[in-house]
PDB file of all heavy atoms in Angstrom:
ATOM      1  N   ALA A 621      -1.225  14.085   6.005  1.00 85.00           N
ATOM      2  CA  ALA A 621      -2.387  13.209   5.897  1.00 85.00           C
ATOM      3  C   ALA A 621      -3.438  13.773   6.813  1.00 85.00           C
ATOM      4  O   ALA A 621      -3.248  13.882   8.038  1.00 85.00           O
ATOM      5  CB  ALA A 621      -2.010  11.801   6.332  1.00 85.00           C
ATOM      6  N   VAL A 622      -4.588  14.186   6.226  1.00 82.00           N
ATOM      7  CA  VAL A 622      -5.607  14.850   7.019  1.00 82.00           C
ATOM      8  C   VAL A 622      -6.386  13.861   7.851  1.00 82.00           C
ATOM      9  O   VAL A 622      -6.245  12.646   7.715  1.00 82.00           O
ATOM     10  CB  VAL A 622      -6.595  15.643   6.072  1.00 82.00           C
ATOM     11  CG1 VAL A 622      -5.817  16.704   5.325  1.00 82.00           C
ATOM     12  CG2 VAL A 622      -7.274  14.722   5.100  1.00 82.00           C
ATOM     13  N   SER A 623      -7.203  14.398   8.727  1.00 77.00           N
ATOM     14  CA  SER A 623      -8.008  13.551   9.628  1.00 77.00           C
ATOM     15  C   SER A 623      -8.858  12.564   8.832  1.00 77.00           C
ATOM     16  O   SER A 623      -9.511  12.933   7.852  1.00 77.00           O
ATOM     17  CB  SER A 623      -8.933  14.455  10.456  1.00 77.00           C
ATOM     18  OG  SER A 623      -9.796  13.685  11.250  1.00 77.00           O
ATOM     19  N   GLY A 624      -8.837  11.284   9.205  1.00 70.00           N
ATOM     20  CA  GLY A 624      -9.605  10.257   8.530  1.00 70.00           C
ATOM     21  C   GLY A 624      -8.936   9.709   7.285  1.00 70.00           C
ATOM     22  O   GLY A 624      -9.535   8.989   6.503  1.00 70.00           O
ATOM     23  N   ALA A 625      -7.644  10.005   7.071  1.00 74.00           N
ATOM     24  CA  ALA A 625      -6.946   9.540   5.888  1.00 74.00           C
ATOM     25  C   ALA A 625      -6.748   8.039   5.928  1.00 74.00           C
ATOM     26  O   ALA A 625      -6.781   7.391   6.980  1.00 74.00           O
ATOM     27  CB  ALA A 625      -5.579  10.217   5.783  1.00 74.00           C
ATOM     28  N   THR A 626      -6.581   7.459   4.744  1.00 69.00           N
ATOM     29  CA  THR A 626      -6.327   6.020   4.649  1.00 69.00           C
ATOM     30  C   THR A 626      -4.926   5.717   5.186  1.00 69.00           C
ATOM     31  O   THR A 626      -4.080   6.550   5.324  1.00 69.00           O
ATOM     32  CB  THR A 626      -6.386   5.560   3.163  1.00 69.00           C
ATOM     33  OG1 THR A 626      -5.393   6.249   2.432  1.00 69.00           O
ATOM     34  CG2 THR A 626      -7.756   5.835   2.549  1.00 69.00           C
ATOM     35  N   ASP A 627      -4.694   4.416   5.452  1.00 69.00           N
ATOM     36  CA  ASP A 627      -3.411   3.978   5.956  1.00 69.00           C
ATOM     37  C   ASP A 627      -2.305   4.311   4.959  1.00 69.00           C
ATOM     38  O   ASP A 627      -1.173   4.700   5.382  1.00 69.00           O
ATOM     39  CB  ASP A 627      -3.417   2.455   6.204  1.00 69.00           C
ATOM     40  CG  ASP A 627      -4.343   2.056   7.338  1.00 69.00           C
ATOM     41  OD1 ASP A 627      -4.610   2.898   8.205  1.00 69.00           O
ATOM     42  OD2 ASP A 627      -4.804   0.906   7.355  1.00 69.00           O
ATOM     43  N   ALA A 628      -2.577   4.174   3.663  1.00 69.00           N
ATOM     44  CA  ALA A 628      -1.584   4.428   2.636  1.00 69.00           C
ATOM     45  C   ALA A 628      -1.157   5.905   2.663  1.00 69.00           C
ATOM     46  O   ALA A 628       0.030   6.238   2.516  1.00 69.00           O
ATOM     47  CB  ALA A 628      -2.085   4.027   1.263  1.00 69.00           C
ATOM     48  N   ALA A 629      -2.135   6.814   2.790  1.00 76.00           N
ATOM     49  CA  ALA A 629      -1.829   8.261   2.828  1.00 76.00           C
ATOM     50  C   ALA A 629      -1.040   8.581   4.107  1.00 76.00           C
ATOM     51  O   ALA A 629      -0.058   9.359   4.037  1.00 76.00           O
ATOM     52  CB  ALA A 629      -3.088   9.045   2.799  1.00 76.00           C
ATOM     53  N   ARG A 630      -1.411   7.982   5.224  1.00 78.00           N
ATOM     54  CA  ARG A 630      -0.674   8.241   6.452  1.00 78.00           C
ATOM     55  C   ARG A 630       0.751   7.710   6.331  1.00 78.00           C
ATOM     56  O   ARG A 630       1.677   8.356   6.930  1.00 78.00           O
ATOM     57  CB  ARG A 630      -1.385   7.560   7.628  1.00 78.00           C
ATOM     58  CG  ARG A 630      -2.688   8.255   7.967  1.00 78.00           C
ATOM     59  CD  ARG A 630      -3.538   7.477   8.945  1.00 78.00           C
ATOM     60  NE  ARG A 630      -2.770   6.844  10.005  1.00 78.00           N
ATOM     61  CZ  ARG A 630      -3.338   6.203  11.038  1.00 78.00           C
ATOM     62  NH1 ARG A 630      -4.674   6.077  11.061  1.00 78.00           N
ATOM     63  NH2 ARG A 630      -2.635   5.632  11.955  1.00 78.00           N
ATOM     64  N   ALA A 631       0.970   6.606   5.668  1.00 76.00           N
ATOM     65  CA  ALA A 631       2.292   6.051   5.513  1.00 76.00           C
ATOM     66  C   ALA A 631       3.181   6.948   4.701  1.00 76.00           C
ATOM     67  O   ALA A 631       4.404   7.067   4.938  1.00 76.00           O
ATOM     68  CB  ALA A 631       2.233   4.666   4.923  1.00 76.00           C
ATOM     69  N   ALA A 632       2.615   7.642   3.693  1.00 79.00           N
ATOM     70  CA  ALA A 632       3.394   8.504   2.797  1.00 79.00           C
ATOM     71  C   ALA A 632       3.662   9.850   3.398  1.00 79.00           C
ATOM     72  O   ALA A 632       4.591  10.551   2.990  1.00 79.00           O
ATOM     73  CB  ALA A 632       2.681   8.612   1.471  1.00 79.00           C
ATOM     74  N   ALA A 633       2.822  10.286   4.317  1.00 84.00           N
ATOM     75  CA  ALA A 633       2.889  11.671   4.820  1.00 84.00           C
ATOM     76  C   ALA A 633       3.983  11.844   5.864  1.00 84.00           C
ATOM     77  O   ALA A 633       4.418  10.907   6.513  1.00 84.00           O
ATOM     78  CB  ALA A 633       1.528  12.077   5.422  1.00 84.00           C
ATOM     79  N   SER A 634       4.417  13.108   6.023  1.00 84.00           N
ATOM     80  CA  SER A 634       5.393  13.462   7.055  1.00 84.00           C
ATOM     81  C   SER A 634       4.711  13.781   8.365  1.00 84.00           C
ATOM     82  O   SER A 634       5.265  13.566   9.423  1.00 84.00           O
ATOM     83  CB  SER A 634       6.221  14.640   6.626  1.00 84.00           C
ATOM     84  OG  SER A 634       6.818  14.433   5.394  1.00 84.00           O
ATOM     85  N   ILE A 635       3.501  14.340   8.265  1.00 87.00           N
ATOM     86  CA  ILE A 635       2.767  14.746   9.447  1.00 87.00           C
ATOM     87  C   ILE A 635       1.310  14.246   9.298  1.00 87.00           C
ATOM     88  O   ILE A 635       0.724  14.412   8.216  1.00 87.00           O
ATOM     89  CB  ILE A 635       2.741  16.275   9.670  1.00 87.00           C
ATOM     90  CG1 ILE A 635       4.204  16.758   9.875  1.00 87.00           C
ATOM     91  CG2 ILE A 635       1.878  16.681  10.831  1.00 87.00           C
ATOM     92  CD1 ILE A 635       4.322  18.264  10.024  1.00 87.00           C
ATOM     93  N   VAL A 636       0.792  13.608  10.337  1.00 85.00           N
ATOM     94  CA  VAL A 636      -0.583  13.097  10.303  1.00 85.00           C
ATOM     95  C   VAL A 636      -1.473  13.962  11.194  1.00 85.00           C
ATOM     96  O   VAL A 636      -1.165  14.128  12.409  1.00 85.00           O
ATOM     97  CB  VAL A 636      -0.626  11.618  10.769  1.00 85.00           C
ATOM     98  CG1 VAL A 636      -2.060  11.105  10.755  1.00 85.00           C
ATOM     99  CG2 VAL A 636       0.266  10.739   9.887  1.00 85.00           C
ATOM    100  N   LEU A 637      -2.514  14.521  10.633  1.00 84.00           N
ATOM    101  CA  LEU A 637      -3.437  15.381  11.401  1.00 84.00           C
ATOM    102  C   LEU A 637      -4.544  14.520  11.957  1.00 84.00           C
ATOM    103  O   LEU A 637      -5.148  13.717  11.239  1.00 84.00           O
ATOM    104  CB  LEU A 637      -4.006  16.477  10.502  1.00 84.00           C
ATOM    105  CG  LEU A 637      -3.006  17.321   9.713  1.00 84.00           C
ATOM    106  CD1 LEU A 637      -3.733  18.383   8.900  1.00 84.00           C
ATOM    107  CD2 LEU A 637      -2.013  17.986  10.682  1.00 84.00           C
ATOM    108  N   VAL A 638      -4.857  14.690  13.224  1.00 79.00           N
ATOM    109  CA  VAL A 638      -5.935  13.929  13.868  1.00 79.00           C
ATOM    110  C   VAL A 638      -7.136  14.805  14.136  1.00 79.00           C
ATOM    111  O   VAL A 638      -8.114  14.356  14.720  1.00 79.00           O
ATOM    112  CB  VAL A 638      -5.434  13.222  15.135  1.00 79.00           C
ATOM    113  CG1 VAL A 638      -4.459  12.126  14.796  1.00 79.00           C
ATOM    114  CG2 VAL A 638      -4.830  14.217  16.131  1.00 79.00           C
TER     115      VAL A 638
END
Side-chain angles (χ1 to χ4, degrees):
V622 298
S623 175
T626 61
D627 294 335
R630 288 169 42 175
S634 305
I635 297 178
V636 179
L637 307 180
V638 292

